[in-house]
Amino acid sequence: MVCQRIGTRFNPSCTGPMHIGHLYTLLVNEQYAHERGGQFTVRFDDSVPFYYPQLGERLYAIRERMREDIEWLGVRVDRWSVQSEMVEE
């Protein structure tokens, strides 16, 4: 039997504060990965072109508030990333 390492991610859009749908997805993906010895990644999806003109400086604040909320919930995140920073990769 081949054992594969599981990796899941939660990638919320940065258009506003977290809501119950975010919370459910966050917890299910984190639990699934860690119960199977894998890693859980939170990747903020801020790469949609209209986010910057529409949200401006609020985009960073929204993203940081989401991170604070996730940390406050005690969710174990193995890797944090931001989609717009990965575009060049």
Side-chain angles (χ1 to χ4, degrees), residues 43-47 52 60 63-64 67 79-89:
R43 183 184 73 197
F44 295 105
D45 187 3
D46 65 345
S47 62
Y52 288 103
Y60 176 78
R63 190 173 70 214
E64 287 306 304
R67 183 178 179 134
R79 182 172 178 252
W80 298 91
S81 65
V82 178
Q83 183 64 31
S84 63
E85 295 172 1
M86 298 172 63
V87 172
E88 293 180 10
E89 294 177 17

Side-chain angles (χ1 to χ4, degrees), residues 40-56:
F40 177 62
T41 299
V42 173
R43 183 184 73 197
F44 295 105
D45 187 3
D46 65 345
S47 62
V48 176
F50 69 83
Y51 282 1
Y52 288 103
Q54 187 178 33
L55 297 171

Side-chain angles (χ1 to χ4, degrees), residues 11-75:
N11 44 313
S13 61
C14 298
T15 56
M18 287 187 53
H19 53 71
I20 194 72
H22 285 136
L23 180 59
Y24 177 79
T25 304
L26 172 76
L27 295 175
V28 167
N29 282 307
E30 186 269 340
Q31 182 179 12
Y32 188 84
H34 289 146
E35 281 184 348
R36 289 158 180 79
Q39 289 197 335
F40 177 62
T41 299
V42 173
R43 183 184 73 197
F44 295 105
D45 187 3
D46 65 345
S47 62
V48 176
F50 69 83
Y51 282 1
Y52 288 103
Q54 187 178 33
L55 297 171
E57 292 299 315
R58 286 187 40 226
L59 186 62
Y60 176 78
I62 291 168
R63 190 173 70 214
E64 287 306 304
R65 178 59 195 260
M66 285 181 147
R67 183 178 179 134
E68 290 170 5
D69 290 345
I70 293 168
E71 290 174 342
W72 179 83
L73 288 165
V75 175

